[in-house]
Amino acid sequence: MPVILESNLTREKRFLCVNGALVPGVQSIKSEYDSKAAIIKYLGNKSSIYFPAGHSVGTSSISTVVVSSDNWIQFIGDSSFNGIILKNKSEWTDNFIFSNSYLTNYMFKSSVGQNPTIDLSVVSFGVMGKIPVSEFSPTVSSDLASVSTTDNNPILSDFSIGSIETNLDFFVENVLTNCEIQINTPRIPIYAIRHREPIAVYRQFPTTVTVNLTFELNQYDFTKSNDFPQTSNSQSININLKNNLNQIINTYSFSNMTFDRQGYSLSVDSPFSVSLQYKKSIFT
């Protein structure tokens, strides 16, 4: 049952809060759940009788623009969150809630001419939908109480591709034009008899991290396709996101990233550029 919350007519009247904090910069949210309805078949039955053949699980896709800080990277690990969409922060009956939620995919992107964006895939093992206030859990009630006093207009930061820097040696000589960071974190729910929600949720290892960078070239030493694995090219990568005051808003740090892919592009209409990809699998 899909629920799409994306409309020019209602966007000013919708707020997304996560664990009691208002999330700015949201562009779109699409959520749906599967009730796992299955028909019971037996001798003599002439009617359709349905029952849940499994645990109901919800999924969401969220797209945001980074306007002040990265609110989502904190959920890459084992932490869960409650997402709440409200029409009025002080009146909670008109709500859409996806509880006991976990990130399964995180994608940070920034390129020339565009503000940084974050695209997310979310799985929800709790209740999803419009929930009566009388059925709110203590955690959800506490989150809503915090949101009701939050300012709607966060302090905005001016981001651009020039607001991103890396520790790679060739960053100084070349011009960074595109940056992507993708973190894939599948989840494994553990269920027990008589429990509608999992008693535990674990990360499914390995967690895969992929970093893609594109540079306009002034100076770069290309590698050969047959260098690997005889010559290992592994290094730590740090990427800093800064605001217009040159303050670091967020740092992405990955150790022992393996150089995986290299490409180059040249045409009469664009400068010489190189695309680089680094990967890492995290097992703990």
Side-chain angles (χ1 to χ4, degrees):
M1 182 178 295
V3 179
I4 302 175
L5 298 173
E6 182 178 13
S7 170
N8 290 332
L9 297 176
T10 61
R11 64 187 180 191
E12 301 89 352
K13 301 178 181 179
R14 300 291 174 181
F15 304 91
L16 172 63
C17 65
V18 171
N19 285 3
L22 190 67
V23 179
V26 176
Q27 300 297 292
S28 65
I29 304 172
K30 180 179 179 180
S31 297
E32 62 182 20
Y33 67 86
D34 183 359
S35 61
K36 301 293 178 66
I39 191 170
I40 300 176
K41 297 180 181 180
Y42 56 89
L43 296 176
N45 178 36
K46 295 183 179 181
S47 61
S48 298
I49 302 176
Y50 287 87
F51 74 106
H55 295 88
S56 178
V57 176
T59 58
S60 300
S61 299
I62 303 174
S63 179
T64 70
V65 171
V66 181
V67 296
S68 57
S69 61
D70 184 348
N71 300 85
W72 299 101
I73 193 67
Q74 60 182 309
F75 300 115
I76 286 299
D78 297 321
S79 299
S80 65
F81 62 90
N82 295 320
I84 306 172
I85 302 171
L86 293 173
K87 183 177 180 180
N88 188 322
K89 294 188 302 179
S90 301
E91 206 285 312
W92 303 340
T93 56
D94 190 352
N95 66 70
F96 184 87
I97 297 176
F98 44 102
S99 62
N100 197 12
S101 301
Y102 294 82
L103 287 188
T104 57
N105 190 268
Y106 169 99
M107 170 70 85
F108 170 88
K109 295 185 289 186
S110 184
S111 60
V112 171
Q114 296 182 348
N115 271 19
T117 62
I118 296 174
D119 295 319
L120 308 159
S121 296
V122 177
V123 60
S124 300
F125 299 108
V127 179
M128 173 179 281
K130 183 176 181 179
I131 302 177
V133 176
S134 60
E135 297 180 13
F136 284 175
S137 68
T139 302
V140 169
S141 296
S142 176
D143 289 347
L144 289 171
S146 299
V147 168
S148 63
T149 60
T150 303
D151 186 3
N152 291 352
N153 301 307
I155 299 175
L156 302 182
S157 296
D158 182 17
F159 294 113
S160 66
I161 195 66
S163 305
I164 297 176
E165 63 179 18
T166 79
N167 65 321
L168 299 176
D169 294 336
F170 47 84
F171 174 73
V172 177
E173 292 86 8
N174 302 292
V175 179
L176 179 65
T177 60
N178 186 75
C179 173
E180 295 182 358
I181 302 170
Q182 183 172 16
I183 305 175
N184 187 33
T185 58
R187 307 290 174 165
I188 302 177
I190 305 299
Y191 291 96
I193 294 176
R194 297 182 65 184
H195 290 265
R196 300 201 65 174
E197 296 186 19
I199 59 174
V201 177
Y202 298 106
R203 278 182 288 170
Q204 179 180 329
F205 292 105
T207 296
T208 304
V209 179
T210 305
V211 176
N212 292 299
L213 302 170
T214 302
F215 293 88
E216 290 184 1
L217 292 183
N218 290 316
Q219 181 179 352
Y220 178 74
D221 293 327
F222 282 90
T223 59
K224 301 193 306 294
S225 59
N226 59 355
D227 284 346
F228 182 83
Q230 291 82 1
T231 302
S232 177
N233 189 350
S234 179
Q235 66 182 100
S236 297
I237 296 180
N238 296 323
I239 299 174
N240 293 326
L241 178 62
K242 294 184 173 183
N243 61 13
N244 56 335
L245 301 177
N246 206 36
Q247 299 169 328
I248 296 177
I249 299 301
N250 200 66
T251 297
Y252 304 88
S253 297
F254 309 105
S255 60
N256 299 320
M257 296 288 290
T258 299
F259 180 67
D260 180 61
R261 184 179 299 173
Q262 174 183 261
Y264 74 92
S265 176
L266 179 63
S267 73
V268 295
D269 298 320
S270 60
F272 191 20
S273 64
V274 60
S275 58
L276 307 173
Q277 183 178 93
Y278 294 83
K279 284 187 175 182
K280 179 181 181 178
S281 294
I282 301 173
F283 290 88
T284 57

